[in-house]
Amino acid sequence: MSISEKIVALRKSNNMTQAELGTRLNVTFQAVSKWERGESYPDFETLSKMAKIFGVPISYFEDGGENMTEAAAVEAPVLDGFDRSNVIGFCKDCGKLVHTGEESCTTPVVICKQCALRRENVKKAQAAEQERQKQQAERAAKAKQQAELDGCKRRRNRGLIASAFISVALIILYAIMAATEDDAVPYIVSIVMTVLFGYTFFAQLFWGGIVVDIALCGGKIVGMPGVIFTLDLDGFIFLIAVKILFAIIKMLIFVLTFLFMVYVAMLVSPFVFVPQMLKLNKGIEL
């Protein structure tokens, strides 16, 4: 039996309430309740008073003390004459009576060696669990980083390969056209432009980043102004005609600005090609 169980058994066998026991020990009934629930333990002096109140030897509260024979119980002093010289107190964790040499520490509370060892093992287990969780988090972070790096490299390779196919196809087309024309200079210039600007531009269309942003900003125009019309047949005809005209104008502006910005993006692409590819090599999203 634990100390808490022994206190409950002694109190009930003597038909005593928690409040009555607390009054005789000069403590509150809440303190008695905590002792009986095992949430705290009485100090040595309080336990000595309790032993005297219930007429049991102080050794009754030690491990196995409830199994003493009647003869041993009679011979064992209730309180008077009990050798306190080697008694330090009760262990804060397990409630065991701690004698000299059995303690691990005495301040701020008494802890026996077994409980101190158990505390140390718990700390080691907690430290090991924290280290395991830390290593697991590090592995997860490395796996995520590696996945991002692999994704960037796959996108880089797709862009390079696709751009190579497109550029080679255009070069072959220009070469064929140059062979069939008397003036091959424009086609030679087109081949050079494809090599210098086309390859870098097409590759970065697959990568994303600044080149795609520049190309897509073309065509982003403001909406057309509102139209004032009268509520009659001529007014509705006028409204429809103006709306169609505005739609055509808007489409033309969209196409022109889009083509212009694509041209600008192609001019920019050779200068940002290497920095963008280095970022992808490092796994940095564009």
Side-chain angles (χ1 to χ4, degrees), residues 58 75-85:
I58 190 67
E75 294 176 359
V78 173
L79 182 63
D80 298 332
F82 182 77
D83 184 10
R84 303 186 189 182
S85 60

Side-chain angles (χ1 to χ4, degrees), residues 54-75:
F54 293 130
V56 297
I58 190 67
S59 56
Y60 172 80
F61 294 100
E62 294 189 68
D63 289 343
E66 71 277 8
N67 298 322
M68 295 173 57
T69 61
E70 293 183 4
V74 172
E75 294 176 359

Side-chain angles (χ1 to χ4, degrees), residues 119-249:
R119 283 188 175 189
E120 186 65 25
N121 291 336
V122 170
K123 288 182 179 180
K124 289 181 179 179
Q126 291 175 344
E129 177 63 19
Q130 291 176 354
E131 182 64 23
R132 185 189 68 80
Q133 293 178 356
K134 179 181 177 181
Q135 292 177 356
Q136 186 177 5
E138 290 176 351
R139 287 195 296 268
K142 289 181 179 179
K144 181 180 179 180
Q145 184 178 6
Q146 186 63 41
E148 293 176 350
L149 178 60
D150 293 341
C152 289
K153 288 183 177 181
R154 284 193 298 268
R155 190 161 64 254
R156 176 204 63 189
N157 294 338
R158 284 196 300 267
L160 294 175
I161 295 172
S163 181
F165 277 112
I166 296 173
S167 300
V168 169
L170 290 175
I171 290 172
I172 292 174
L173 177 63
Y174 292 142
I176 294 173
M177 295 174 68
T180 59
E181 296 289 340
D182 295 334
D183 186 8
V185 175
Y187 301 104
I188 294 175
V189 173
S190 297
I191 291 174
V192 173
M193 295 293 289
T194 300
V195 173
L196 292 179
F197 299 98
Y199 179 76
T200 57
F201 174 73
F202 294 131
Q204 292 181 77
L205 288 181
F206 289 87
W207 298 351
I210 186 171
V211 169
V212 174
D213 292 339
I214 293 174
L216 293 181
C217 76
K220 294 181 179 179
I221 58 177
V222 296
M224 292 292 102
V227 179
I228 299 176
F229 63 98
T230 58
L231 295 174
D232 52 26
L233 180 59
D234 292 337
F236 283 113
I237 294 175
F238 172 77
L239 174 64
I240 294 172
V242 170
K243 287 292 185 181
I244 293 174
L245 177 61
F246 280 173
I248 295 173
I249 294 174

Side-chain angles (χ1 to χ4, degrees), residues 27-143:
V27 298
T28 63
F29 77 91
Q30 290 92 339
V32 177
S33 178
K34 287 184 177 180
W35 297 342
E36 294 185 353
R37 293 197 304 268
E39 296 178 3
S40 63
Y41 298 99
D43 56 27
F44 181 75
E45 292 299 327
T46 303
L47 209 59
S48 299
K49 293 180 182 179
M50 196 182 305
K52 188 173 182 180
I53 291 172
F54 293 130
V56 297
I58 190 67
S59 56
Y60 172 80
F61 294 100
E62 294 189 68
D63 289 343
E66 71 277 8
N67 298 322
M68 295 173 57
T69 61
E70 293 183 4
V74 172
E75 294 176 359
V78 173
L79 182 63
D80 298 332
F82 182 77
D83 184 10
R84 303 186 189 182
S85 60
N86 67 338
V87 175
I88 299 175
F90 289 90
C91 176
K92 172 68 168 57
D93 287 357
C94 66
K96 176 183 176 182
L97 190 63
V98 180
H99 298 80
T100 303
E102 297 177 347
E103 78 281 2
S104 173
C105 66
T106 57
T107 55
V109 292
V110 177
I111 302 294
C112 67
K113 291 181 178 180
Q114 292 181 346
C115 291
L117 180 60
R118 184 166 57 252
R119 283 188 175 189
E120 186 65 25
N121 291 336
V122 170
K123 288 182 179 180
K124 289 181 179 179
Q126 291 175 344
E129 177 63 19
Q130 291 176 354
E131 182 64 23
R132 185 189 68 80
Q133 293 178 356
K134 179 181 177 181
Q135 292 177 356
Q136 186 177 5
E138 290 176 351
R139 287 195 296 268
K142 289 181 179 179

